[in-house]
Amino acid sequence: DSLRIVLCLNIINHKSIKMKKTLFLVLLCATTFSFAQEITGKTTTSDKYSNAIRQINDEYFKNDFTTINRIFADNGSYTINGENYTKNQVIEGFSMHHKLYNKINMAQNFIETTVYDENLNNTVWSHLWGRWEATSKKTGKVRGNPVNVSFKWVDGKIVNASWIFDPTQLNQEIAASQN
């Protein structure tokens, strides 16, 4: 009889532990999902914002900054690899590329714009991913570099932009041009 009682208690105890584990997992999942706020929006690639980014790129390849001057806010926040610049400094820096390189292009690129819902105050962001390429005027070498850019739009103006790329080749080209 005592064996039967011990066996019965073990079964009850086993069910209790299994139930505690199940309850813990349910509570953990419920808590995790309740803290996760879903961010949704509509993403497109042929909208007016994405097309404006394409126009900025096409003009940059020709050393023309008409669209940047028109749609970048004068007091916007612009960063290149984490360093802050004014709109005019961004234009001067990108224009300087044409002193160092020929055949600047970005044959491989993808541009999209997302209009986020009310969880993010209906903000509009365009993103560009691409591979920048050009031929060095000093060495004749073709240089390539992946680049990522994010643009925040407010009332038809870009008020925030962030360029991210590896500056090593550009720095080498600047140094070579000074010799």
Side-chain angles (χ1 to χ4, degrees):
D1 276 337
S2 65
L3 181 61
R4 191 183 265 185
I5 293 173
V6 170
L7 185 59
C8 192
L9 287 176
N10 280 339
I11 292 173
I12 292 171
N13 190 30
H14 172 72
K15 287 181 182 180
S16 174
I17 291 172
K18 189 174 180 180
M19 184 62 151
K20 285 179 185 177
K21 286 181 181 179
T22 303
L23 184 59
F24 174 75
L25 286 174
V26 168
L27 287 174
L28 180 66
C29 288
T31 304
T32 301
F33 290 126
S34 69
F35 287 127
Q37 183 176 0
E38 185 177 339
I39 297 174
T40 59
K42 182 177 181 185
T43 301
T44 57
T45 58
S46 296
D47 56 277
K48 67 181 181 179
Y49 304 108
S50 297
N51 290 335
I53 301 304
R54 282 185 194 85
Q55 185 172 354
I56 288 170
N57 264 4
D58 290 343
E59 290 175 2
Y60 159 71
F61 301 142
K62 301 171 191 165
N63 201 20
D64 176 6
F65 298 93
T66 304
T67 302
I68 282 182
N69 271 314
R70 184 173 47 81
I71 65 175
F72 273 47
D74 290 334
N75 60 349
S77 173
Y78 307 111
T79 62
I80 300 174
N81 292 326
E83 298 289 325
N84 294 318
Y85 294 94
T86 66
K87 174 177 138 176
N88 289 333
Q89 289 171 322
V90 169
I91 291 170
E92 289 170 13
F94 290 153
S95 182
M96 180 264 310
H97 293 175
H98 293 272
K99 294 177 182 170
L100 301 171
Y101 299 100
N102 289 318
K103 301 177 185 173
I104 297 173
N105 70 79
M106 195 178 293
Q108 298 175 5
N109 69 75
F110 178 76
I111 299 168
E112 70 177 13
T113 297
T114 302
V115 179
Y116 293 97
D117 66 12
E118 63 277 355
N119 288 330
L120 284 175
N121 298 323
N122 298 309
T123 55
V124 179
W125 283 87
S126 294
H127 304 281
L128 176 148
W129 296 269
R131 180 162 174 78
W132 178 94
E133 287 188 354
T135 303
S136 167
K137 287 184 177 181
K138 183 81 171 175
T139 66
K141 290 182 182 178
V142 175
R143 300 289 197 159
N145 206 355
V147 62
N148 174 287
V149 192
S150 296
F151 304 91
K152 181 180 182 181
W153 296 84
V154 174
D155 297 329
K157 294 276 190 184
I158 293 174
V159 298
N160 181 304
S162 178
W163 289 263
I164 301 170
F165 59 90
D166 181 352
T168 304
Q169 292 179 9
L170 177 60
N171 292 336
Q172 291 170 348
E173 208 61 41
I174 292 169
S177 73
Q178 295 172 348
N179 292 334

